[in-house]
Every structure is written in C-alpha cells, then in structure tokens.
Amino acid sequence: MCPPHSTTTPHRMSREPYPFVEDSFSRFPSQSNMYGLCQAGEQELLAATLKGKVVCFRYQELQQKVALWPKRCSLPTSQDSGDKATPFLNIYCDYEPGSEFNLESIAQSCLNLELQFTPFQLYHTEVQCDDGAKETVFLLSGHDQKIHLYKENASLHQFEEQPVERLFPELEQLPSNVLWLDMLSLDQGRRLSAFGCQSGCVGLALVNQTGPEILQSWRVQFDSPISTVLLFPLSCKNAPSKITPGEEMCGYNLLVTSTIEMAVIYRDVQEHGLAHSMCLAESDQWDAVLSALVIDLDFDGQKEVLLGTYGQELLCYKYQAAVSGGDGQFQLQWRRSFKSPLLSIIYLDLTGDGMKELAVLTLKGLHVLQHSLTCTAALVLERLSQRVSDQTKAEVAEEEEDTAEEAALQTSSN
C-alpha cells in the first residue's frame, strides 16, 4: 500500500521510443546480487559474484574494434575458516602520491578486517575533518542491526572501526537491519541521510555535520522490506529544464522502493520531510524492485527515474507537470524486458567518448546499453541549430544597439 498523502491516479504509458541499443552481454560464472556492481575509476566496472570472484570490465581496442573486455581480478571477498567462509571487509589502497588509478597495483595492497556479522551494503561518503579538509569513510550495514563506521588512521595507513555516533548520530539507534543507505551533502555544512530497513521502516534526517547534531528527523513505515532509498534533485545543474515554472519539484526528493509495494517519491524533503509523497503507478506489477537510478537520460535537464525489477523489467518514469492546477505526476515512459532479474544499474562513460552507457547487472551477467545514435545525432543537430539561432539573434541585437548608440551620439553632437 502507498503511504498517506500519496496519489495513485492511473495513467497510460507514453509512446516514447526506447532510447538504447544493447552493445554487449557478458555472462558470469556464478550469480551476483543487488550489492554486486560498482564503478572503478572513470571507465571501469567491478562486478562481484557469489563464489568470491570479482570481474573488472573495461573497453579495449581489439582488432580495430572497441569491445568490452572482462578480466578476473585477484580480489578475494571471503576467506575460509574451518567449515565455513568467514566474512571480511577487504580495503584495497594505493598510497603512491600522484599515481593514477591502477587496479593491478591496488590489488597488491589489501587490508583484511574480519567481520562478526553478515555484511549488506557498503557505502562511502565524505566527512569534514577538524582542519577543514574532507576525508572518505566507509559505512557498512550488517545483520546485527547496526551500521559500522570505518575510518583511516593516517599515521598507520590503515582503516579502523570507530563508533558510528561520533560522526553519524542519526545512524546510532536503528529499528532493524539496514538494507540500503544514501546521503547527500548540502550547503552550510549540513547533510541529508536516508536509510531503508528490512522491517519496512524508512528513516530520514537533516544533520549539521559540525558537532555533529541532528536538526530534524522523520520516519515512515512500509509493509515490506526496503530495497532502495535515493536522494536526488529533479533538475540537473547548469542544464536547461523543460519543467513549467512553478510546477517543478523543488529542493531534494527521496525515492523509496520496496519488495512488494509501489515505489514512492517524497517531494522536497528539506521543507516537508516525509509528508508529501507520490506513488509510481504500475511499479509493483513486475515483482520486487531491486535497483533504482535517477539520471537525465534524454538530455533535457530533467532527471528520469529508472527501476530494475526481479520480474525482469527495466522501467523508466518521467515527471509531468500538471496541465491546470493540482500536482504533477511521474509517468511511465517506457519499459524493456530482460531474460533474467535485474539486480543493479549504473550510468557511466565506459567507452570514453563523452556519451555515457547504461550498465545493467542481472542474475546471469552484465548488459551494456548505449544511447541510440539516431536519436542522439538528431538531438545534437537540434541543439547546434538552436545555438546558432541564439548566437545570430544576439549578434543582431548587438548591432542594433551599436547603431542606436551611434545615432544618439550624432544627434547630441549636432
């Protein structure tokens, strides 16, 4: 069921064409899970499998053709201890100053931290140090109903676990095991923190990082485990947006997906907390939603919401402003079927050509989807034409202004 204050008005899916073509598919020796994909460097992906193998994906030029190249890495994810594998947090570091990201080099230096709990999501974020500099820390949720904080001891060049309440008081008392965590840094030294629990509880907090101090906090209860929470602005920075003025979703919003219910977006959480929500209609029709991503896919300055489901569907929603009065809605723009459940989604420039690809991790392997060149070329020509038109208008206006100034000077001299 949807939380209070939500809207579930049915709508029809638009006829917008599917904007991607599949470039490649790489099959895994064993399945992965919803935490098994991450970006490594600027143009590489790491995918972990349940048998402990980590695969690195990057594009290389092979026989005058650029192709995705999978390579197994020597990055152990667990170690044997008697009859069962012991969970470890393995942190790979390269301390050479000024050195470029090199996976082979990093793999040679590994810090093994034995865990006394089953790990779930590993999240990293920046915190402000006493000297004003920023430092990256790791947050690892586990089945012990805690989030564990790992911070670097610079003098020893190693990471150590520290009490989470020292830097993240909002994560100290949790109602259940946290399955997903997201944070967003704001101005004036503040941050937004959101977490989703196995019990269905969603927590949100506005925190002043100096102290630190919880300024406000909110919670809402769902009827099923929370699979994803994502904080996002609807509009992209420094990009034109086609949202009607006055109808835009202001501030930062929170996307919540669960294993049974419809996905929900809470609007302007800084101002309204978890009071104003809207459901993504039909998002519960293809089994559990396991992954989500909020990105600008059509380059119009307004972000779309992507949902990956266990029912093998990729769903794309776009915000549509209200025509006359009322609130706008997120409408289903298109959907694409895969041959196995979707576990994770990442959007990055794998080929290094300036155009990002969509990496979709499924139960069977990794799909890499590229933007349709036909649609992209048409958009580039449209943008170039508009830029030329704007430049021409600006030059004409400048000439007219110069002419008017010359006429005014002649009149005054006469």
Side-chain angles (χ1 to χ4, degrees):
M1 59 180 289
C2 268
H5 311 292
S6 61
T7 304
T8 57
T9 304
H11 61 266
R12 294 182 179 180
M13 183 173 62
S14 71
R15 297 183 179 274
E16 181 173 320
Y18 175 67
F20 290 98
V21 293
E22 182 156 339
D23 177 73
S24 65
F25 171 71
S26 300
R27 187 175 294 275
F28 289 169
S30 64
Q31 71 184 50
S32 184
N33 62 26
M34 60 187 287
Y35 305 116
L37 187 66
C38 72
Q39 184 173 346
E42 294 183 357
Q43 296 173 220
E44 295 181 349
L45 284 172
L46 290 180
T49 63
L50 297 186
K51 288 187 177 180
K53 300 295 183 181
V54 176
V55 184
C56 175
F57 291 90
R58 62 172 171 260
Y59 273 80
Q60 292 183 346
E61 188 171 339
L62 303 174
Q63 297 178 352
Q64 298 182 342
K65 180 181 179 182
V66 178
L68 189 67
W69 183 253
K71 180 181 179 182
R72 288 187 182 177
C73 307
S74 300
L75 303 180
T77 56
S78 64
Q79 297 184 10
D80 291 333
S81 176
D83 298 331
K84 62 179 182 179
T86 302
F88 276 78
L89 173 61
N90 299 324
I91 301 178
Y92 301 86
C93 304
D94 189 356
Y95 290 105
E96 291 296 328
S99 60
E100 295 182 359
F101 175 81
N102 187 314
L103 193 60
E104 300 292 342
S105 173
I106 291 176
Q108 306 304 316
S109 175
C110 175
L111 172 64
N112 303 110
L113 300 176
E114 185 175 355
L115 305 178
Q116 303 301 320
F117 57 90
T118 301
F120 294 148
Q121 185 199 14
L122 177 63
Y123 186 85
H124 67 272
T125 186
E126 287 187 337
V127 294
Q128 190 166 332
C129 304
D130 295 335
D131 59 0
K134 292 185 178 180
E135 180 182 358
T136 298
V137 298
F138 294 96
L139 295 168
L140 180 61
S141 61
H143 86 293
D144 56 353
Q145 200 169 311
K146 295 180 180 179
I147 292 180
H148 300 261
L149 167 65
Y150 298 91
K151 189 173 182 293
E152 183 184 13
N153 184 326
S155 61
L156 299 177
H157 287 306
Q158 66 181 24
F159 281 79
E160 301 171 343
E161 183 171 1
Q162 297 187 5
V164 71
E165 61 270 17
R166 288 184 182 178
L167 298 176
F168 302 91
E170 70 272 28
L171 304 178
E172 182 179 7
Q173 296 181 346
L174 300 171
S176 175
N177 299 330
V178 171
L179 300 183
W180 205 268
L181 173 71
D182 193 31
M183 293 184 178
L184 198 61
S185 294
L186 307 176
D187 55 2
Q188 300 177 348
R190 299 174 302 160
R191 70 166 173 261
L192 280 170
S193 300
F195 61 82
C197 296
Q198 192 171 2
S199 65
C201 178
V202 173
L204 175 69
L206 178 63
V207 179
N208 181 357
Q209 299 189 65
T210 302
E213 177 189 7
I214 301 175
L215 301 177
Q216 287 180 287
S217 64
W218 307 266
R219 290 191 180 181
V220 67
Q221 184 67 42
F222 284 70
D223 293 333
S224 59
I226 303 301
S227 53
T228 308
V229 291
L230 285 178
L231 292 159
F232 68 96
L234 184 62
S235 299
C236 301
K237 290 183 179 179
N238 303 321
S241 177
K242 295 182 179 179
I243 307 175
T244 305
E247 291 288 344
E248 66 273 9
M249 291 175 62
C250 301
Y252 293 100
N253 312 285
L254 175 64
L255 169 66
V256 178
T257 71
S258 60
T259 56
I260 296 178
E261 302 156 82
M262 281 190 282
V264 178
I265 291 180
Y266 293 92
R267 304 178 56 176
D268 195 7
V269 293
Q270 286 178 264
E271 180 71 21
H272 304 292
L274 301 177
H276 292 183
S277 64
M278 57 176 63
C279 288
L280 303 188
E282 302 180 43
S283 57
D284 59 343
Q285 300 300 306
W286 289 278
D287 213 317
V289 176
L290 297 182
S291 56
L293 190 63
V294 182
I295 50 176
D296 181 11
L297 285 177
D298 54 9
F299 314 109
D300 68 346
Q302 176 186 339
K303 296 182 180 181
E304 288 78 45
V305 175
L306 290 180
L307 303 180
T309 72
Y310 192 84
Q312 307 176 186
E313 295 290 322
L314 178 63
L315 312 176
C316 178
Y317 289 84
K318 191 174 185 66
Y319 181 73
Q320 303 293 337
V323 177
S324 57
D327 295 329
Q329 294 291 320
F330 277 88
Q331 296 187 1
L332 184 61
Q333 294 293 103
W334 51 260
R335 61 185 179 91
R336 184 205 195 259
S337 299
F338 289 76
K339 293 184 178 180
S340 59
L342 279 66
L343 304 177
S344 183
I345 316 169
I346 292 182
Y347 191 54
L348 77 164
D349 184 8
L350 276 169
T351 58
D353 62 354
M355 181 71 67
K356 292 185 177 182
E357 285 76 38
L358 194 65
V360 180
L361 178 67
T362 70
L363 206 61
K364 298 295 180 63
L366 180 70
H367 296 262
V368 175
L369 311 177
Q370 294 185 330
H371 282 276
S372 168
L373 292 181
T374 301
C375 299
T376 304
L379 180 59
V380 169
L381 291 175
E382 178 186 341
R383 294 283 175 85
L384 288 175
S385 177
Q386 183 63 46
R387 179 168 294 187
V388 170
S389 176
D390 293 343
Q391 182 66 26
T392 302
K393 291 179 180 178
E395 291 175 353
V396 170
E398 186 176 353
E399 290 179 359
E400 292 177 348
E401 185 177 350
D402 292 341
T403 302
E405 289 180 356
E406 290 179 1
L409 288 174
Q410 288 182 357
T411 302
S412 61
S413 62
N414 293 334

